[in-house]
Amino acid sequence: MNIVCLDMEGVITPEIWIEFSRVSGIPELRRTTRDEPDYGKLMRFRMDILREHGLGLREIQDVIAQIDPLPGAKEFLDELRATAQTVILSDTFEEFAKPLLRKLGWPTIFCNALETDEKGMLTGVKMRCEQSKLTTVKALQGIGFETIAAGDSFNDLGMIQASKAGFLFRTTEQIKRDYPQLPAFEEYDELLRAIKAAL
């Protein structure tokens, strides 16, 4: 039995932190897992910047409410879900994902949660597990699934490489150079064909 594991941000939705950086006018918040492979370090950096500017969860959620999935993403996801069991594995947070999941027809997602103080300032993260994407893929394999994975960032490489088929989607030129063995696609129809061929 096959299950497809997809990253969310950069693959089917815009990068939330990049959008928030644009709206807030804080360029430092443009850093993502494409730039920083250490997720804990990246989140500590983000929380420090938010606190400096007096911005909390509510301000981020107000921006997320205005974000739409990437053009063609819902149609891609609908066709993929009609073909194979599909789960989104994301290092985002429940508090961020919900408005976007509504616009995508409520696909299944495994992600993390945020910790906030009484003022709504971000104070920490509740990670579902260590190396959540790779750990989840291995757990799915452990209960009889063969996994197919696609993502765009450093934190997707573990699940991509551990799967029977793995793909890069709209990734950076640096990641493509560093991992030339991984097929890389820019369009949803290409990725869909590759996934269907691997099923």
Side-chain angles (χ1 to χ4, degrees), residues 65-146:
Q66 306 306 313
I67 297 174
D68 287 322
L70 292 169
K74 184 175 187 309
E75 294 77 9
F76 160 76
L77 198 53
D78 286 347
E79 185 166 350
L80 183 57
R81 290 168 68 196
T83 306
Q85 293 189 71
T86 303
V87 63
I88 297 169
L89 304 183
S90 178
D91 280 336
T92 194
F93 308 99
E94 295 170 0
E95 297 85 350
F96 287 7
K98 199 169 186 178
L100 292 163
L101 296 177
R102 182 181 298 114
K103 294 177 182 181
L104 288 164
W106 299 109
T108 299
I109 185 170
F110 297 161
C111 61
N112 303 306
L114 287 166
E115 296 173 337
T116 57
D117 64 18
E118 66 281 355
K119 294 179 181 177
M121 301 298 289
L122 275 59
T123 59
V125 297
K126 295 178 187 173
M127 299 298 286
R128 203 169 37 80
C129 57
E130 288 294 316
Q131 296 184 331
S132 62
K133 297 180 185 187
L134 175 59
T135 301
T136 302
V137 159
K138 289 188 171 186
L140 289 167
Q141 292 167 349
I143 57 170
F145 286 102
E146 289 191 275

Side-chain angles (χ1 to χ4, degrees), residues 46-86:
R46 288 168 169 168
M47 288 187 288
D48 288 344
I49 296 288
L50 290 171
R51 191 163 290 278
E52 281 177 30
H53 290 270
L55 298 170
L57 180 58
R58 181 174 184 150
E59 289 80 10
I60 300 170
Q61 288 176 324
D62 287 346
V63 171
I64 294 169
Q66 306 306 313
I67 297 174
D68 287 322
L70 292 169
K74 184 175 187 309
E75 294 77 9
F76 160 76
L77 198 53
D78 286 347
E79 185 166 350
L80 183 57
R81 290 168 68 196
T83 306
Q85 293 189 71
T86 303

